[in-house]
Amino acid sequence: KKIPVTRQKVEISLQSSFQPGMKLEVANKSNPDTYWVATIITTCGQLLLLRFSGYGEDRKADFWCDVMTAELHPVGWCAQNNKTLMPPEAIKEKHSDWTEFLIQDLTGARTAPANLLEGPLRGKNTVDLIVDGSVLELQDLLDPYLYWPVRVIQNVGGRLRLRYAGLSEEYHDHDTWLFYLDVRLRPLGWAQENCLTLEPPTGESLISFTSDWQQALEDAQLDGQKNPLPLEVFKDHVDLPKHSFKMGMKLEMVSPWEQLQICPVSVTKVYNEFYFQVMLDDLSAEAKPHFVVCHANSPGILPVQWCMKNGVGLERPRAYEGQDFDWADYLKQSGTEAAPDACFPDVSMGRDFAKDMWLEAVNPHRPAEVCVAQVTQVRGRLLWLRLEGVPKPLSECIVDVESMDIFPVGWCEANAYPLTPPIKPVCQKQKKIAVVQPEKQLARSQPVEASPVNHYQPAALDPGSANGRYCCSKIFVNHRCFSGPYLNKGRIAELPQAVGPGKCTLVLKELLSMLINAAYKPGRVLKELQELEDQSWDCQEETLKAKYKGKTYRSTIRIVRLADQIPDFCRKVCVKLQCCPNLFSPILVTDKCPENCSVQTKTKYTYYYGKKRKLSKPTAGEETAEGELAKPTRRRKKRKAIFVQKKRRSSAVDYTPAERALQSGSEGTSSEPREDHTDTSSVEVTSSRPRRATALRRAVSAGNPALGPALSPEAPAGRRRSTRSLSAYNQNSKYQPVEEEDGQLVLDRNPLEWSVDEVVQFINSTDCASLAGIFQEQDIDGQALLLLTLPTVQECMDLKLGPAIKLCHQIERVKVAFYKQYAN
């Protein structure tokens, strides 16, 4: 497919100022302080692909270099600075006389300009070489032989605001806007070189605005010589083809004088092989001549009967007699001929434009204004545009597909130029279903006010809209609810309080993407969501991605399309992630969660909301003690297998005595071998801390003999330290769990019984106090603390090696004290 010219000219403006085939002198890496001639093979931004002279067509030694950092010089620099030119070692023996070779190689070649290799213009794109104050020459609108210097006042992505030399700021209304590729623009000195005339512009009656045009001309030429514009600016200018128009020929033309009109015009003058003049046909007695200079590629010139063939109305000449205009009669009456079709550019070329496409276009009535525009009609090379934000009837215009005044969507934003917005929203019918991105706000800093009647309020759907069943109201992220083992509580707190309203699939896709990014290991959450499905759901597949440790994972997730299925979908997603069913839900939890999830910890909560159990609470007849929930053999074996695998993966680090005892106890109580098809990948991705803590708690509560009588509930009082309940500790804020004795840590309380607050208190008392927040955030209690190792700390807490070692030293002190005091 051909690229629409709106993109084509913009892409040209972003090309490098260097051209393939240019010669440079480049530092020779194999021989310090020596250089050799290289040829530019291709460019990519400020990167150049070079090949040393002498390699011919051999590409094996081609190399890339950055214009901004490499040592590059124009040809002749070595001779001027007494530097040595020496070919690379690989081709040194290829020629006997390298001097003669260089003479032949450089004859007729073009060197890269010195100002592109150093100074403020170094490495800039073509369009950026045109700076404010640059001087060019501009062709007169009514006489192709007349030129006058203009200064660049503003450069907007190659669209130049120009002011004639001799005019001051007070005449800014006479400024001209042109794209830098316009054929009317030429470098300073071009008119004199081509024996053309330098005269002030004739069409604007500007001759009276200044008394000394000659002085203005000399000042402009002097400014241009001080800051010459690189000729590379004009490397993409198209050379005009020769035309074949003759005096008296008739043609059709988009009127430059009247809006939305295509009129018959006549060739009234031929300047040379490149330019000719056409005049509007007017048969009235008081006709005032309207003429314009054209060339073979002028936009808007059309062959006779083009309008009839394309179903477009042709404006009759003024004072034309007859109801219907007929070209055959008109040509016969005037005794003229129609210009042959061969005189015109490809009039059928539409450049892939289509009706209802959007672009950005210059307002022809206010050239400094760029508007949102919609294509309302395409006929051959012509586009009918409607300019949004411009009052009627001035909002309609006709442009050529190769017009320099149309740009792709986003051009103004990319060049920081104001875009005139539509007066009314473009998609009024879709306004109700657009997804609104709420501002990020912390739940702690801006809490939701509780309702005086209900503790939670359901979000109402919008059944009144045409697509109400496919649209939903807000879905709330209830930050206070339990986050489960997969989601990071701190990241959840940074999410917005709600997403929506909008189309169901868009709202849910945005919400799931946020949850994936809030996970400890996003890949694991993506895998869990992939397995989520229900036969009763009306689903649409969406591709979501997760990034973790430099790798990107993609998966196709089934998302419900109907609003009435969203509550069930949200609840089942929460079940899958083992978090509170109201963590994200159409229900806004303003005070206390109906699931009472705030009393749960990460290790206990899995019993109620794990994968193997239904989410509903047990009835009165089904209530079971917490200790009995750990009894099912299958669940117990699976957890122990995961725990053993995790320890094996960390076998490179020595176990502490407590961990050895726990591992031996786990392996000793399992009479069946570990299944070979256990998903080890899931073990690596899942946060192991809650599962390890659960396994350890089970061993403690079951009185595992491998841990010794000191940890058994039935141990004699003399062998065990007297313990206080967690509630008793929480009421005694003065209680200190540790104290120092000759540099050794002495524990006043079994660390297996430490709560999360006690662990945080201990970390705050060490030189790792800055890390205490991580323990609070990840709900690490005493049992989980004793299971931490260096690999676990680095992986799950995202710590660098230094802080991780420092933290593990303090944890090791607790383990040693625990082993001495409580594990005998």
Side-chain angles (χ1 to χ4, degrees):
K1 278 190 172 183
K2 295 179 180 178
I3 301 174
V5 72
T6 53
R7 283 180 49 203
Q8 198 174 52
K9 69 171 180 285
V10 172
E11 290 174 355
I12 290 174
S13 69
L14 298 177
Q15 289 179 358
S16 171
S17 304
F18 295 92
Q19 293 177 269
M22 281 185 173
K23 301 288 185 178
L24 303 165
E25 291 180 357
V26 185
N28 198 337
K29 294 183 179 180
S30 59
N31 293 309
D33 298 328
T34 64
Y35 299 82
W36 191 241
V37 177
T39 305
I40 297 177
I41 304 301
T42 189
T43 65
C44 181
Q46 63 187 39
L47 300 179
L48 305 179
L49 181 63
L50 303 179
R51 181 183 301 165
F52 279 123
S53 295
Y55 277 95
E57 299 300 321
D58 188 357
R59 300 183 301 174
K60 65 182 180 182
D62 292 0
F63 61 97
W64 288 93
C65 68
D66 190 335
V67 178
M68 302 303 294
T69 58
E71 190 177 357
L72 306 175
H73 304 284
V75 172
W77 180 85
C78 287
Q80 296 173 1
N81 294 273
N82 297 321
K83 299 293 183 180
T84 304
L85 278 173
M86 181 180 296
E89 291 291 338
I91 59 172
K92 199 169 186 179
E93 305 299 330
K94 194 172 182 180
H95 294 277
S96 57
D97 190 350
W98 283 103
T99 303
E100 182 64 25
F101 170 81
L102 282 183
I103 293 175
Q104 296 179 3
D105 187 55
L106 295 176
T107 301
R110 184 184 176 193
T111 181
N115 57 355
L116 297 184
L117 298 171
E118 58 188 18
L121 301 182
R122 181 177 183 178
K124 285 191 174 183
N125 294 331
T126 303
V127 69
D128 296 326
L129 298 177
I130 308 174
V131 298
D132 295 353
S134 299
V135 181
L136 302 93
E137 290 181 355
L138 179 62
Q139 185 185 51
D140 192 271
L141 270 174
L142 304 179
D143 190 339
Y145 293 131
L146 297 184
Y147 282 80
W148 190 251
V150 289
R151 285 187 175 86
V152 176
I153 304 302
Q154 188 178 3
N155 179 2
V156 182
R159 189 164 186 262
L160 308 179
R161 180 184 177 187
L162 306 170
R163 183 171 299 159
Y164 287 106
L167 295 184
S168 59
E169 172 66 27
E170 59 182 311
Y171 301 109
H172 61 84
D173 291 340
H174 296 273
D175 290 350
T176 302
W177 285 87
L178 290 175
F179 200 70
Y180 84 104
L181 294 176
D182 197 294
V183 294
R184 292 178 60 202
L185 287 174
R186 299 293 180 179
L188 187 66
W190 193 87
Q192 187 175 358
E193 291 176 4
N194 291 272
C195 302
L196 300 173
T197 306
L198 284 170
E199 284 188 6
T202 57
E204 300 288 346
S205 302
L206 298 178
I207 196 69
S208 60
F209 289 160
T210 181
S211 57
D212 195 348
W213 284 103
Q214 186 61 37
Q215 184 61 44
L217 174 62
E218 293 176 0
D219 292 343
Q221 291 175 335
L222 185 61
D223 292 343
Q225 293 171 0
K226 289 181 179 178
N227 300 297
L229 193 64
L231 294 178
E232 282 65 34
V233 169
F234 302 92
K235 66 182 177 66
D236 296 311
H237 269 225
V238 178
D239 293 332
L240 288 179
K242 296 180 180 180
H243 71 80
S244 52
F245 289 92
K246 296 179 181 178
M247 283 278 295
M249 282 185 173
K250 298 284 187 179
L251 59 151
E252 298 176 1
M253 183 179 185
V254 178
S255 174
W257 309 282
E258 297 293 335
Q259 186 180 8
L260 294 176
Q261 288 187 5
I262 301 178
C263 311
V265 294
S266 303
V267 178
T268 55
K269 187 175 183 178
V270 176
Y271 291 99
N272 52 31
E273 58 188 2
F274 299 110
Y275 294 99
F276 59 95
Q277 182 189 80
V278 298
M279 186 172 69
L280 177 68
D281 285 4
D282 190 341
L283 305 181
S284 61
E286 66 280 3
K288 183 179 180 181
H290 291 88
F291 56 87
V292 65
V293 175
C294 297
H295 51 79
N297 286 342
S298 287
I301 59 172
L302 306 165
V304 164
Q305 294 189 344
W306 182 92
C307 286
M308 184 186 69
K309 293 177 182 178
N310 288 273
V312 179
L314 178 67
E315 191 74 15
R316 292 182 301 170
R318 191 177 177 188
Y320 176 80
E321 296 180 358
Q323 293 292 334
D324 298 321
F325 179 80
D326 181 76
W327 264 113
D329 293 342
Y330 184 62
L331 292 175
K332 186 176 181 180
Q333 293 174 7
S334 61
T336 55
E337 62 174 331
D341 290 349
C343 296
F344 301 88
D346 184 5
V347 293
S348 63
M349 179 179 58
R351 290 282 190 180
D352 292 341
F353 284 99
K355 184 181 178 182
D356 294 331
M357 281 186 174
W358 292 92
L359 45 84
E360 297 175 4
V362 175
N363 183 351
H365 307 286
R366 298 179 60 186
E369 182 180 32
V370 182
C371 306
V372 174
Q374 185 180 26
V375 179
T376 59
Q377 189 178 180
V378 180
R379 293 288 186 272
R381 294 178 56 94
L382 299 185
L383 308 176
W384 274 253
L385 302 182
R386 183 177 67 247
L387 305 180
E388 300 291 336
V390 179
K392 293 183 178 181
L394 302 179
S395 60
E396 306 286 339
C397 64
I398 303 175
V399 298
D400 189 88
V401 294
E402 292 188 346
S403 170
M404 296 290 179
D405 289 335
I406 56 177
F407 302 92
V409 171
W411 181 84
C412 282
E413 182 181 4
N415 292 281
Y417 193 76
L419 176 68
T420 300
I423 296 178
K424 295 181 180 180
V426 175
C427 301
Q428 298 181 43
K429 295 181 180 180
Q430 299 179 4
K431 182 170 62 176
K432 292 185 178 181
I433 65 172
V435 173
V436 178
Q437 295 289 347
E439 295 182 359
K440 286 191 175 183
Q441 51 187 352
L442 296 180
R444 298 170 184 171
S445 59
Q446 297 184 7
V448 181
E449 295 182 3
S451 169
V453 179
N454 299 322
H455 292 301
Y456 54 93
Q457 304 169 351
L461 301 175
D462 184 15
S465 62
N467 295 320
R469 62 195 302 254
Y470 296 104
C471 305
C472 66
S473 296
K474 293 182 180 180
I475 298 181
F476 297 97
V477 180
N478 297 308
H479 306 85
R480 299 180 182 179
C481 288
F482 181 72
S483 59
Y486 296 126
L487 303 178
N488 187 310
K489 187 176 180 180
R491 294 174 189 167
I492 290 290
E494 295 178 358
L495 297 180
Q497 286 187 331
V499 179
K503 190 176 179 181
C504 295
T505 52
L506 295 179
V507 173
L508 289 175
K509 184 178 180 181
E510 176 69 18
L511 186 64
L512 293 179
S513 298
M514 293 193 305
L515 289 179
I516 291 171
N517 293 328
Y520 291 110
K521 295 186 178 179
R524 177 60 175 173
V525 171
L526 192 64
K527 182 179 179 182
E528 295 290 335
L529 294 177
Q530 185 180 10
E531 300 171 355
L532 187 67
E533 62 178 330
D534 191 308
Q535 297 297 330
S536 62
W537 288 345
D538 180 4
C539 293
Q540 174 178 321
E541 292 188 346
E542 295 285 349
T543 300
L544 300 180
K545 63 181 181 179
K547 292 185 178 180
Y548 183 64
K549 291 190 175 180
K551 294 182 179 180
T552 301
Y553 305 88
R554 287 179 174 84
S555 181
T556 301
I557 309 298
R558 286 170 287 275
I559 299 177
V560 297
R561 301 171 61 236
L562 302 179
D564 56 1
Q565 295 176 347
I566 283 185
D568 184 50
F569 177 82
C570 292
R571 190 172 183 88
K572 289 187 177 179
V573 169
C574 292
V575 173
K576 198 72 175 174
L577 300 182
Q578 301 179 28
C579 57
C580 175
N582 293 324
L583 180 63
F584 73 98
S585 162
I587 295 175
L588 173 61
V589 177
T590 58
D591 187 8
K592 185 178 180 181
C593 176
E595 300 290 336
N596 198 26
C597 64
S598 59
V599 302
Q600 305 294 345
T601 64
K602 288 206 173 187
T603 49
K604 291 181 180 179
Y605 201 83
T606 309
Y607 294 151
Y608 295 102
Y609 298 101
K611 297 180 184 178
K612 303 297 182 181
R613 296 187 60 84
K614 292 184 179 180
L615 194 63
S616 59
K617 292 183 178 180
T619 60
E622 296 174 339
E623 289 184 358
T624 313
E626 181 183 328
E628 294 177 0
L629 289 172
K631 288 183 179 180
T633 308
R634 183 177 299 276
R635 176 182 289 271
R636 183 176 181 184
K637 288 178 180 177
K638 184 175 180 181
R639 288 183 178 276
K640 291 185 177 180
I642 291 176
F643 174 72
V644 172
Q645 278 185 324
K646 197 70 176 181
K647 300 310 293 181
R648 286 176 181 171
R649 195 165 67 89
S650 306
S651 60
V653 181
D654 291 340
Y655 294 111
T656 62
E659 289 172 314
R660 290 194 191 96
L662 181 57
Q663 185 183 7
S664 61
S666 300
E667 293 175 344
T669 56
S670 179
S671 59
E672 298 180 9
R674 177 171 55 89
E675 294 180 355
D676 294 336
H677 62 272
T678 303
D679 187 1
T680 57
S681 63
S682 65
V683 176
E684 292 181 7
V685 191
T686 308
S687 177
S688 61
R689 230 172 289 107
R691 299 194 178 202
R692 291 186 176 187
T694 304
L696 183 51
R697 287 192 182 95
R698 287 179 182 169
V700 173
S701 62
N704 195 326
L707 296 177
L711 300 183
S712 174
E714 290 81 20
R719 300 276 311 269
R720 298 176 62 231
R721 290 285 184 112
S722 59
T723 59
R724 292 182 291 176
S725 65
L726 182 59
S727 59
Y729 166 72
N730 289 335
Q731 294 171 4
N732 187 1
S733 60
K734 296 181 180 180
Y735 178 78
Q736 297 296 327
V738 297
E739 60 183 39
E740 300 284 344
E741 189 176 281
D742 297 330
Q744 299 293 326
L745 199 63
V746 178
L747 304 177
D748 287 343
R749 179 177 170 81
N750 191 332
L752 289 175
E753 299 173 358
W754 285 4
S755 66
V756 175
D757 290 335
E758 287 176 298
V759 171
V760 172
Q761 183 180 353
F762 167 71
I763 297 298
N764 276 324
S765 68
T766 67
D767 55 355
C768 298
S770 60
L771 305 177
I774 300 178
F775 290 77
Q776 184 75 51
E777 180 184 70
Q778 300 189 10
D779 293 338
I780 298 176
D781 55 13
Q783 296 182 23
L785 178 72
L786 293 177
L787 296 175
L788 293 178
T789 61
L790 181 60
T792 307
V793 167
Q794 283 187 277
E795 181 180 0
C796 299
M797 296 187 179
D798 292 330
L799 295 180
K800 294 182 178 179
L801 183 59
I805 292 176
K806 192 175 180 182
L807 177 61
C808 285
H809 171 69
Q810 298 298 338
I811 298 174
E812 193 69 21
R813 296 178 66 205
V814 177
K815 292 178 180 179
V816 172
F818 161 76
Y819 184 69
K820 287 183 177 179
Q821 296 178 229
Y822 299 101
N824 291 331

